[in-house]
Amino acid sequence: MRGLAVLVAFIALPALAQEAGNQSSVPAEAVTGGAEIMSFPSPEAPRGEIVPPLDIEQAKQEKPETVVAGLSSDSVAITTNFDGSEVTIYGAIKRQTPIPDDSQLDIAVTVEGPPRSVTIRRKARRFGIWVNTESVVVGAAPSFYSVATTLPLSVILSEEEDARYRISVPTAMRSFARPFSVEDPVDFTEAMINTRIADGSYRVDAGGVKLEEETLFRADFRLPANLIEGAYKTRIFLLRDGRVIDAYSTPIEVRKVGLERWLYRLAMDRPFIYGLMSLFIAGFAGWGASAAFRAIQRK
């Protein structure tokens, strides 16, 4: 009976893990029961709408400077030995007129991973032990976000344009849901950002864009080993006097391939079969190790 109980528990683990994963991706509105949606960095800060990339071709006909860009690779394959990847974003500035001499051209390049719902909790000491107390739900935070620029963003980008295009790390967050009992939601989001900067999920590289003769540019990005699947959005912004004068966007597809993808899909789509297969492999490995140990003892 004890062995049967262990078997049932082992088989049920993948299904429970899948259920937990589904709960963590529940939209903020569902988690908070329709709580107020706020903006970051503060609930009162105005936020503009992201300019749709579909208007770029029409806008290019009217702009004196436009960006023409390319990627070293538009897809990343995650295999069993994947330990990260390098992506180079390069391009040039297309002009119909001479280079303006009354302002400096700067460039900001961002790479953004698929957004996920995140719950940030505060720990407090209660009765001699540390427990989770208050929490804030971030409706959609990028799983990965990296921004490279020619100079620090605070120098080349105005706050209004940052709020409109959502270029810096704090403004890249999509929406926040705040329980009404929390008085300082900004502290929660700042803690989350600091944590992700510390583990490499969020990065800011001032000087990471190399610009030659205000015409050719290049930026190198390091994608970490813990990437998740999905479409990663790459954006390039041309800046003058703190304003965005042109923008370009293109995706990078990240997906699991080979044995890695087969095991992942099996665990997600067929957790029972995945559990049986794992049990069989574990049993076979244990039997094989025992047999090898006995053979060594006989010798």
Side-chain angles (χ1 to χ4, degrees):
M1 290 300 293
R2 183 178 179 183
L4 179 61
V6 172
L7 173 62
V8 172
F10 184 84
I11 294 174
L13 281 177
L16 294 175
Q18 182 179 11
E19 180 66 21
N22 293 338
Q23 289 178 359
S24 63
S25 60
V26 173
E29 295 84 352
V31 174
T32 58
E36 176 187 353
I37 302 299
M38 70 175 191
S39 300
F40 185 75
S42 76
E44 292 77 21
R47 302 191 66 188
E49 297 296 330
I50 296 179
V51 178
L54 296 179
D55 296 337
I56 290 179
E57 291 302 324
Q58 181 181 357
K60 284 180 183 298
Q61 301 176 2
E62 305 172 356
K63 295 178 179 177
E65 293 177 301
T66 56
V67 58
V68 181
L71 305 176
S72 61
S73 175
D74 59 2
S75 64
V76 174
I78 300 177
T79 60
T80 52
N81 58 352
F82 179 77
D83 60 352
S85 179
E86 299 277 354
V87 174
T88 299
I89 301 172
Y90 57 91
I93 313 304
K94 182 179 179 182
R95 298 184 176 90
Q96 303 296 335
T97 59
I99 298 176
D101 55 3
D102 57 346
S103 61
Q104 177 179 320
L105 177 68
D106 287 291
I107 297 177
V109 183
T110 68
V111 176
E112 178 179 347
R116 292 289 186 272
S117 176
V118 178
T119 300
I120 309 141
R121 305 183 190 279
R122 169 178 284 162
K123 286 186 176 180
R125 197 173 182 85
R126 297 285 189 272
F127 306 106
I129 60 174
W130 289 95
V131 297
N132 293 326
T133 55
E134 300 170 316
S135 65
V136 166
V137 177
V138 179
S143 56
F144 173 81
Y145 193 78
S146 182
V147 53
T149 59
T150 50
L151 291 174
L153 273 177
S154 58
V155 176
I156 63 177
L157 182 66
S158 68
E159 292 184 1
E160 293 76 13
E161 290 289 274
D162 189 20
R164 182 185 183 196
Y165 289 91
R166 299 175 182 174
I167 300 174
S168 65
V169 172
T171 57
M173 310 299 139
R174 288 294 178 268
S175 59
F176 287 68
R178 180 183 61 171
F180 293 106
S181 59
V182 176
E183 298 294 337
D184 51 354
V186 173
D187 291 348
F188 285 75
T189 52
E190 288 180 346
M192 183 201 71
I193 290 174
N194 291 335
T195 300
R196 293 200 168 187
I197 288 177
D199 67 19
S201 298
Y202 291 175
R203 302 173 184 176
V204 179
D205 185 8
V209 178
K210 308 302 180 186
L211 178 61
E212 299 291 341
E213 303 295 335
E214 294 197 11
T215 300
L216 302 176
F217 69 88
R218 167 184 174 146
D220 298 309
F221 288 86
R222 172 68 180 174
L223 304 181
N226 60 347
L227 291 179
I228 65 172
E229 282 189 300
Y232 284 61
K233 182 167 61 178
T234 300
R235 298 182 297 164
I236 303 170
F237 299 95
L238 300 187
L239 308 169
R240 282 192 184 275
D241 295 328
R243 295 181 59 254
V244 175
I245 61 174
D246 191 33
Y248 177 85
S249 179
T250 186
I252 300 175
E253 190 67 27
V254 176
R255 62 192 301 268
K256 295 182 174 69
V257 298
L259 180 62
E260 178 80 7
R261 181 170 185 80
W262 183 78
L263 290 174
Y264 175 79
R265 296 313 319 172
L266 182 64
M268 295 296 105
D269 300 337
R270 301 287 188 272
F272 181 78
I273 297 177
Y274 179 82
L276 287 179
M277 186 185 71
S278 301
L279 182 62
F280 173 78
I281 293 176
F284 181 78
W287 174 83
S290 177
F293 185 72
R294 289 196 301 269
I296 294 175
Q297 282 186 322
R298 285 196 294 271
K299 291 181 180 179

